[in-house]
Amino acid sequence: MRIRGWRLPVGRNAAGVSGNGPSRESATEENASGEGPAAGGPDSAGAGPLPPPWARGAVALLAGALPALAFPAPGLWWLAYVALVPWLLLIRTAHSPRRAALDGWIGGIGFVIAVHHWLVPSLHVFILLLAALLGLLWAPWGLLVSRLLGGSPSAPRAAAAVVVVPSGWLMIELVRSWEGLGGPWGLLGASQWEVAPALRVASVGGVWLVSLLLLAVNTGAALLIAGRVARTTAGILLVVCALSVAAMSAWAPRPEDTGRVRIAVVQPGVVEGPESVARRFDRGEELTRSLEGRGVDLVVWGESSIGAGAWQNPETARRLAELSRRVGADLLVNVDARQSDGSGRSGIYKSAVLVGPDGPTGDRYDKMRLVPFGEYVPARSLLGWATFVGRAADEDRLRGDRQVVMTLPDGARGLRVGPLVCFESAFPDMSRRLVRDGAQVLVAQSATSTFQDSWAPAQHASLGALRAAENGRPMVHSTLTGISAAYGPRGELVGRPLGTDASAAEVFDLPLARGSTLYGRFGDWPVYGALAALAALCAVEGLRALRRRPAPGPP
């Protein structure tokens, strides 16, 4: 017999001695109230023969990997609404807290490997270590799922599950969003980048609120399948979720269009072999010349479009200035080279640099959040050997210390641009800060050529839709080798994206907007709401524990 997912000791002390431990009567009352599993019943978490541990582990691994199919490139966005149900149903059948935590951990490993599998060429064996470490974040979540979904959940427990289980998942997304753990890649809400109602939800509470709603739907669906007593409650809560999305779509503030801006992206395509840096620059120059007479306000090149050595050459600045004069617009290029910053520090920076008709304007943004192993090696004294195993950075890049909003000249109507470099577009707070500082257009410069034939380019480009919708500002995602794309202030795709097989320049006619979204005003409020829900659960469990504490017996 088990009570609420925990094992009841068997033997002469099972009912407790001298008043200690739950009695048979209390266990019977608990099962009758629906708060615990009915032993031997169809909803019992312990009913049926136990599968071999390796088989259960394999199922957990596959169940955790399933949500990855909702992201680009498969793009099965609708799968995100039910993808977690098999994992939830598996965890609720765990015969002990230890097994529930293990199911959560193994499923977390499957999720991390599936969502980040394209990193294998760079990380090699480190992908397994990374997955094992990050997967531990799902172990407490497994305990939470088992506690709230195990057995035959009552209506109050089902209602709590639809709130608390998503809150626990959101804490996992928050922790692994730390740059040192790889950043916020693969947040479940990001899978909805092309779903208009979900983008409206993002304008209210960011990608965090989208993730919460997806987890609430998955939890409600699991209750519909597994809990007879809780089906009515789960059905009502699913209707509430649908009505909430409809209300946000209808009444959330919308950005107000204020004009248009023409921004061109230059995508040289894959250039390999000897002198590839110089030949890529030549190709970018050729494509930029083709923009002459097209009335563009800004030309954006991809990340690392100017490599080491070239930037120190005065000829490079002269050629860029000549291109600016010819096209009639400033160029936003990206320099990956040894430089000095304003404080005199010297090292390799990745910098967005604005170049006008007279050369560099002085506007420069140094990348602040670096890719672990790709741009620096954490604890290099201990993990420096990673440079011999994968494609880890031979030398650590240096970080910038502040975000920058660049103002274009009057010819472009004084347009204010907020630059981001590479996976900084995955961080919601960076885009929000730029918009609060006055950016009218967000621009991300990226290079995913290392992962050209993987899901990474499509996943990276899709993040622009979320950042645009969250802040009510258009966003341009410009890459060296694709996918380059642009999005309007509601997150809608604008124009024709440039795929990974393209070597071209494309002009995007973007709508400008003014006004603040609710996410822009209030920030990450869903995160604080999730923390409050978890704190309330801890308080309730603490009070129950105090009530169950037996009175001291006679000596």
Side-chain angles (χ1 to χ4, degrees):
M1 180 182 295
R2 298 188 310 112
I3 295 181
R4 298 184 181 179
W6 298 79
R7 286 180 175 170
L8 182 67
V10 177
R12 68 183 184 89
N13 291 325
V17 179
S18 299
N20 294 324
S23 67
R24 295 179 184 271
E25 291 78 11
S26 64
T28 304
E29 290 170 1
E30 187 170 76
N31 285 330
S33 67
E35 286 295 312
D43 288 329
S44 173
L50 291 176
W54 65 266
R56 187 181 180 96
V59 172
L61 194 71
L62 292 175
L66 184 61
L69 297 176
F71 296 93
L76 305 178
W77 60 266
W78 49 267
L79 185 62
Y81 295 87
V82 293
L84 293 172
V85 172
W87 194 3
L88 292 169
L89 294 178
L90 177 72
I91 294 175
R92 74 175 292 273
T93 65
H95 287 74
S96 69
R98 180 176 171 183
R99 182 70 245 185
L102 187 60
D103 289 340
W105 180 41
I106 295 174
I109 292 174
F111 182 87
V112 172
I113 291 177
V115 172
H116 299 86
H117 72 275
W118 44 272
L119 285 172
V120 171
S122 295
L123 295 183
H124 288 275
V125 67
F126 276 102
I127 189 68
L128 299 177
L129 177 61
L130 176 69
L133 292 176
L134 289 181
L136 289 172
L137 295 173
W138 278 270
W141 185 74
L143 292 171
L144 193 64
V145 171
S146 177
R147 175 67 183 87
L148 293 171
L149 297 184
S152 299
S154 63
R157 189 146 61 98
V162 174
V163 175
V164 176
V165 169
S167 298
W169 180 282
L170 198 65
M171 292 303 101
I172 298 171
E173 292 197 337
L174 182 67
V175 171
R176 69 185 185 88
S177 293
W178 179 49
E179 174 199 344
L181 294 179
W185 196 281
L187 304 184
L188 194 62
S191 66
Q192 306 302 295
W193 68 278
E194 55 185 337
V195 182
L199 292 174
R200 294 287 292 144
V201 172
S203 74
V204 175
V207 68
W208 312 112
L209 185 56
V210 183
S211 289
L212 274 177
L213 285 172
L214 287 174
L215 262 294
V217 172
N218 276 272
T219 306
L223 286 167
L224 287 176
I225 295 172
R228 291 181 303 182
V229 177
R231 280 174 189 161
T232 301
T233 303
I236 292 173
L237 291 173
L238 288 174
V239 172
V240 169
C241 288
L243 292 176
S244 300
V245 172
M248 285 184 271
S249 297
W251 294 313
R254 296 176 183 269
E256 180 184 348
D257 290 350
T258 60
R260 316 288 290 188
V261 63
R262 290 175 64 81
I263 297 180
V265 299
V266 172
Q267 181 177 300
V270 178
V271 180
E272 298 177 328
E275 302 296 327
S276 60
V277 175
R279 290 189 293 112
R280 183 169 59 233
F281 185 92
D282 292 342
R283 179 56 178 161
E285 188 177 32
E286 178 186 355
L287 293 171
T288 303
R289 286 198 197 98
S290 71
L291 298 169
E292 185 176 359
R294 299 186 62 179
V296 298
D297 298 301
L298 176 67
V299 180
V300 184
W301 288 21
E303 180 188 10
S304 303
S305 48
I306 301 176
W311 189 239
Q312 284 75 20
N313 188 346
E315 179 66 11
T316 299
R318 186 197 66 78
R319 290 167 66 181
L320 292 172
E322 193 274 332
L323 283 175
S324 176
R325 290 192 297 270
R326 187 165 184 168
V327 175
D330 282 13
L331 276 62
L332 185 65
V333 299
N334 192 274
V335 180
D336 185 359
R338 194 171 300 278
Q339 307 172 73
S340 296
D341 66 1
S343 64
R345 287 190 309 164
S346 181
I348 299 178
Y349 288 91
K350 281 195 174 181
S351 307
V353 179
L354 194 65
V355 180
D358 300 321
T361 64
D363 284 332
R364 166 179 159 182
Y365 165 65
D366 297 325
K367 185 178 182 182
M368 296 174 61
R369 295 183 180 173
L370 304 178
V371 180
F373 294 98
E375 293 169 338
Y376 76 103
V377 176
R380 184 176 285 272
S381 60
L382 296 176
L383 302 177
W385 56 272
T387 58
F388 302 104
V389 177
R391 299 175 183 173
D394 293 328
E395 179 180 350
D396 293 347
R397 268 62 173 169
L398 299 185
R399 305 171 186 270
D401 55 9
R402 64 187 180 91
Q403 292 188 259
V404 175
V405 175
M406 302 177 178
T407 303
L408 301 186
D410 293 338
R413 293 163 292 171
L415 186 72
R416 295 185 295 277
V417 175
L420 299 163
V421 181
C422 191
F423 89 145
E424 288 181 334
S425 64
F427 292 86
D429 64 304
M430 297 194 74
S431 299
R432 179 171 176 263
R433 171 62 65 84
L434 287 171
V435 172
R436 290 175 68 87
D437 289 344
Q440 296 170 283
V441 179
L442 299 169
V443 176
Q445 297 172 299
S446 175
T448 52
S449 54
T450 304
F451 316 106
Q452 190 73 357
D453 298 321
S454 71
W455 298 354
Q459 289 183 12
H460 199 179
S462 71
L463 296 175
L466 271 298
R467 304 292 87 84
E470 287 171 344
N471 298 285
R473 296 294 184 271
M475 182 163 187
V476 175
H477 182 81
S478 179
T479 72
L480 288 181
T481 60
I483 297 172
S484 297
Y487 304 92
R490 296 172 180 83
E492 72 278 16
L493 191 66
V494 174
R496 179 179 64 91
L498 295 176
T500 54
D501 58 346
S503 176
E506 185 72 19
V507 178
F508 297 101
D509 195 9
L510 290 169
L512 295 175
R514 66 183 176 189
S516 297
T517 62
L518 292 177
Y519 176 73
R521 293 177 198 169
F522 302 113
D524 301 328
W525 63 266
V527 173
Y528 304 122
L531 282 169
L534 292 171
L537 175 71
C538 292
V540 169
E541 291 296 321
L543 290 173
R544 286 183 175 177
L546 289 175
R547 289 176 183 174
R548 294 194 194 105
R549 182 177 298 173

